Amino acid sequence: MAESLLDMYKPFQKYLEQELFKKFDLQSVSIPAGLERQLSERGKNPAFIQSWCYQCPQLRKIRYTYIDAGKSAQVFNSVIYPAHHYDLPILGIDFLSFGDKKKNLVVMDFQPLFRDEEYLNKYIEPMRSLRDKYDDLAQNLGMKFYDANQYFSKYLLFAKTEPNTVEERVWLAYIDYINLYWEILDEASPLNDPKDIQRIVKAQKDYDQYSAERDPAHGLFSSYFGAEWAERFLYEFLFEDAKPLAVSSK
Ligand code: BLA
């Protein structure tokens, strides 16, 4: 399916892109100067990173990033933030492959903004049948960087797996999860009360802060592109609503 094992997540990017352009009236969002693409020749293989960003009335920020460092690393990462008048979970995708495809990590989730029962019943329970269908991809791996009880659902896909499984099982799961996300979005009713909207603004901002502070990719960005670039990429693009900590942990 992939043109070569070397761009193993490119079909996933293409699929998402096609879906987005088919379903939504997308507008390009500019990425701060110097962050849209970057090439590193520091490592064993050159590493190229490129990002895309869009918005539409239903989705206030759609971003995805591809890192191509040949055999050393292939990464597809995407976060889709619904408009502030929808309290839907954030769609999070993180597919990684390191060192000659020996280690493939796939994570995909509808990342809940709130954890009360009503919310979870409304937005997370619908994932349950997919979680059961792809039981093999919902491995009980512990988290080192993140807290599984914050911004992750109990039905996330989280697997360490083989390239074949990525091309076959993960591909099917990916399509199913994305389609379910579109369904939930189609059915969502916009909120009007400014208090409700403020609560969502804050929850999405807290998500950015939490994610920026814990991002396991910080070290990878620094080693490829330098600490300064890594810091900017995190705080000016990936999680732009987060504020850098006064004392940086660089
Ligand atoms: C883990 N994600 C990782 C790791 C890296 C990235 C390098 C550690 C892999 C390892 O050595 O075990 C990479 N994260 C990235 C990249 C970006 C990024 C390249 O933000 C940005 C371009 N991560 C997400 C999203 C989810 C997510 C949206 O960015 C949600 C689906 C999940 N990534 C996630 C999880 C882990 C992970 C759960 C395992 C971390 C842990 O053990 O705590």
Side-chain angles (χ1 to χ4, degrees):
M1 179 191 25
E3 277 111 65
S4 75
L5 269 184
L6 279 183
D7 350 318
M8 109 188 276
Y9 297 118
K10 274 289 168 188
F12 291 83
Q13 179 188 331
K14 270 190 201 147
Y15 179 81
L16 181 64
E17 218 152 50
Q18 281 165 3
E19 283 288 298
L20 288 167
F21 276 92
K22 188 174 82 187
K23 285 200 60 89
F24 304 102
D25 184 15
L26 296 188
Q27 250 190 311
S28 263
V29 175
S30 69
I31 296 175
L35 300 180
E36 188 174 355
R37 55 177 73 87
Q38 191 75 341
L39 176 69
S40 161
E41 290 178 307
R42 292 181 180 192
K44 193 163 52 128
N45 296 93
F48 183 63
I49 186 169
Q50 186 171 4
S51 299
W52 294 263
C53 193
Y54 301 97
Q55 63 178 31
C56 63
Q58 303 91 323
L59 303 168
R60 71 169 185 89
K61 181 177 178 184
I62 299 164
R63 63 151 172 92
Y64 47 88
T65 296
Y66 201 95
I67 300 174
D68 180 358
K71 288 180 177 177
S72 307
Q74 294 285 315
V75 180
F76 176 56
N77 178 278
S78 177
V79 178
I80 297 184
Y81 299 80
H84 285 141
H85 54 266
Y86 291 117
D87 64 353
L88 296 214
I90 286 170
L91 181 64
I93 299 166
D94 201 12
F95 292 171
L96 311 112
S97 173
F98 292 110
D100 229 355
K101 316 295 163 270
K102 287 199 190 80
K103 184 178 172 191
N104 305 284
L105 182 71
V106 297
V107 196
M108 180 164 190
D109 201 7
F110 296 0
Q111 302 195 260
L113 293 178
F114 307 107
R115 308 199 74 88
D116 55 281
E117 205 180 324
E118 191 191 338
Y119 185 89
L120 298 176
N121 280 336
K122 187 168 174 191
Y123 294 125
I124 304 304
E125 274 315 304
M127 299 165 75
R128 188 190 185 132
S129 61
L130 291 183
R131 149 72 184 80
D132 291 344
K133 181 172 171 189
Y134 298 104
D135 190 53
D136 52 323
L137 302 178
Q139 303 167 358
N140 228 329
L141 309 170
M143 291 191 188
K144 299 183 293 268
F145 297 90
Y146 299 108
D147 172 357
N149 294 311
Q150 255 185 301
Y151 307 113
F152 287 101
S153 80
K154 61 174 174 177
Y155 300 136
L156 84 161
L157 293 185
F158 189 14
K160 275 194 183 137
T161 190
E162 304 300 311
N164 281 347
T165 310
V166 171
E167 296 203 345
E168 290 160 18
R169 296 290 290 161
V170 177
W171 177 252
L172 296 176
Y174 179 70
I175 292 172
D176 278 350
Y177 271 78
I178 288 180
N179 282 330
L180 178 61
Y181 192 79
W182 300 154
E183 270 174 45
I184 293 178
L185 180 60
D186 282 343
E187 286 163 16
S189 29
L191 298 164
N192 296 311
D193 186 335
K195 269 210 255 58
D196 290 334
I197 293 171
Q198 270 323 301
R199 189 167 163 256
I200 297 163
V201 169
K202 178 167 189 311
Q204 290 196 1
K205 192 181 264 190
D206 291 347
Y207 170 91
D208 267 19
Q209 190 69 40
Y210 176 86
S211 305
E213 286 170 16
R214 311 246 177 159
D215 200 316
H218 197 156
L220 181 133
F221 298 143
S222 294
S223 68
Y224 285 145
F225 309 109
E228 203 181 312
W229 190 92
E231 193 80 358
R232 281 196 65 211
F233 190 59
L234 278 168
Y235 288 96
E236 294 178 31
F237 175 59
L238 293 181
F239 306 109
E240 66 196 274
D241 291 332
K243 295 212 185 345
L245 296 177
V247 180
S248 152
S249 56
K250 277 189 283 202

